[in-house]
Amino acid sequence: MADTLVSLAESFKNMGVARAYGAPVNLNGEEMVPVALVSFGFGGGTESGDGASGGGGGGVVVPLGVYRTVNGRTVFRPNTIAALVCLVPLVTATGAAVRKALRAARK
């Protein structure tokens, strides 16, 4: 088990900001830096009676957009598709809350 933890720690030592911001790319005189939302997690456990153990992990990367530098001016250009996808849970929760409020008002 200790070897597994050491291996995981070595594998994910460089995670974080380096994964959220990509390497700058020069395209037609514009410098672009890709930006992403990076999230990951791990878990594990054991059962003392049976000697069983297990673990797992997962992650998600959402491309948020790019920073563009044109003529010395830097601007952020969002990925509109990713922004819309990220808004789906917010719109769903707002719709459910409004529906419940309307039902309560009718009673």
Side-chain angles (χ1 to χ4, degrees):
M1 183 80 155
D3 292 336
T4 304
L5 290 175
V6 170
S7 175
L8 279 173
E10 286 296 318
S11 297
F12 293 97
K13 186 189 305 184
N14 297 324
M15 287 299 209
V17 174
R19 299 289 181 226
Y21 295 95
V25 177
N26 195 338
L27 184 64
N28 296 331
E30 296 181 21
E31 185 176 55
M32 298 184 192
V33 178
V35 180
L37 172 68
V38 180
S39 179
F40 58 91
F42 297 95
T46 62
E47 284 189 32
S48 58
D50 298 331
S53 65
V60 65
V61 177
V62 179
L64 297 179
V66 296
Y67 280 106
R68 294 175 49 190
T69 302
V70 183
N71 299 326
R73 184 170 172 230
T74 303
V75 294
F76 180 73
R77 301 302 250 178
N79 178 349
T80 54
I81 294 171
L84 291 174
V85 169
C86 290
L87 286 176
V88 168
L90 177 65
V91 171
T92 303
T94 303
V98 168
R99 183 177 34 182
K100 285 182 182 182
L102 290 174
R103 283 185 187 163
R106 287 183 192 159
K107 290 182 180 183

